[in-house]
Amino acid sequence: MARAHSPLGAVVLRGCGVMMLPLMLSACSWSWFGLNSSATHAKAHGTGSLSVAPADDFAYLPARADHISPNRIENTAMTGIVLKDDINEVVRKRIAYSLRSAGFRIDDRRRVLSGSIETFTVDDMRSPALWTLKIRYVVIDTATQRVMFTTACTVKRKAPKFTSNTIAIEDTVQLSIDTLIGDPGFIKAVN
């Protein structure tokens, strides 16, 4: 027995298909983004203790040179990515979170990690976008004011062109911290 289709039913089904297609596509893209997020980074298990200096001690050098505003990341495709908070605050929070997640105690006032953000850019003229972050890290013994460790860490990370800026920033800083934690000199300085 053949079933008759109502015109209203066909319109409703077509409308559902039109509405669901963007949702299904966005779900696919989110799962792909998720594969590249910091949640999937191999977590290094660190030992040692230190404290992370306040955001003011993580100088964002492009802003200090009046090159750009303190809350802007240079972008080749447009004038820049503007954040609600200053770059040094965003980077400092992620550094503290990443170190804590890696197993470091970050309440030891005897050794303080600070640094300068020398470069933070994104090149998204093509896909994938290329994020570049260069930070000079410094660990200081607070009792003697002696520099116990210093290094310049440059990381480059590819990310989907239309990913969340927050995710891309967090993942790029995480990559920098992973590199820092992998440096035996840093581990020696905080133990």
Side-chain angles (χ1 to χ4, degrees):
M1 174 187 247
R3 195 171 190 186
H5 293 286
S6 75
L8 178 61
V11 170
V12 169
L13 284 175
R14 223 174 315 168
C16 288
V18 169
M19 288 177 20
M20 292 304 293
L21 181 62
L23 290 174
M24 290 187 318
L25 288 175
S26 68
C28 291
S29 61
W30 277 112
S31 65
W32 190 80
F33 291 154
L35 292 174
N36 293 315
S37 75
S38 60
T40 61
H41 281 278
K43 296 288 184 190
H45 293 288
T47 61
S49 60
L50 69 159
S51 59
V52 180
D56 289 344
D57 291 333
F58 283 90
Y60 185 42
L61 298 184
R64 290 217 172 153
D66 292 329
H67 183 63
I68 58 173
S69 62
N71 64 335
R72 185 179 300 264
I73 294 175
E74 288 183 277
N75 185 342
T76 57
M78 55 185 163
T79 59
I81 295 172
V82 180
L83 304 178
K84 183 178 77 172
D85 296 318
D86 287 349
I87 302 303
N88 63 333
E89 292 175 26
V90 172
V91 169
R92 188 262 175 218
K93 285 178 190 172
R94 188 61 190 191
I95 287 171
Y97 173 83
S98 296
L99 287 170
R100 189 179 311 110
S101 295
F104 289 86
R105 270 190 33 237
I106 60 166
D107 59 356
D108 184 347
R109 303 273 181 222
R110 295 174 297 156
R111 294 176 286 255
V112 177
L113 175 69
S114 64
S116 55
I117 305 160
E118 297 179 5
T119 305
F120 206 166
T121 61
V122 59
D123 177 359
D124 67 355
M125 290 293 282
R126 292 172 205 81
S127 189
L130 181 64
W131 291 75
T132 303
L133 173 62
K134 180 179 181 184
I135 301 180
R136 177 165 299 281
Y137 293 104
V138 179
V139 177
I140 295 176
D141 179 310
T142 56
T144 64
Q145 292 302 304
R146 184 173 64 95
V147 173
M148 300 178 68
F149 173 79
T150 185
T151 189
C153 224
T154 302
V155 295
K156 294 181 182 285
R157 185 182 168 285
K158 291 182 178 178
K161 189 170 180 172
F162 297 109
T163 191
S164 156
N165 291 332
T166 302
I167 291 171
I169 291 166
E170 288 175 355
D171 287 352
T172 305
V173 175
Q174 179 69 51
L175 185 58
S176 180
I177 289 298
D178 290 346
T179 304
L180 178 66
I181 291 170
D183 189 321
F186 173 74
I187 299 300
K188 182 178 177 186
V190 298
N191 279 290

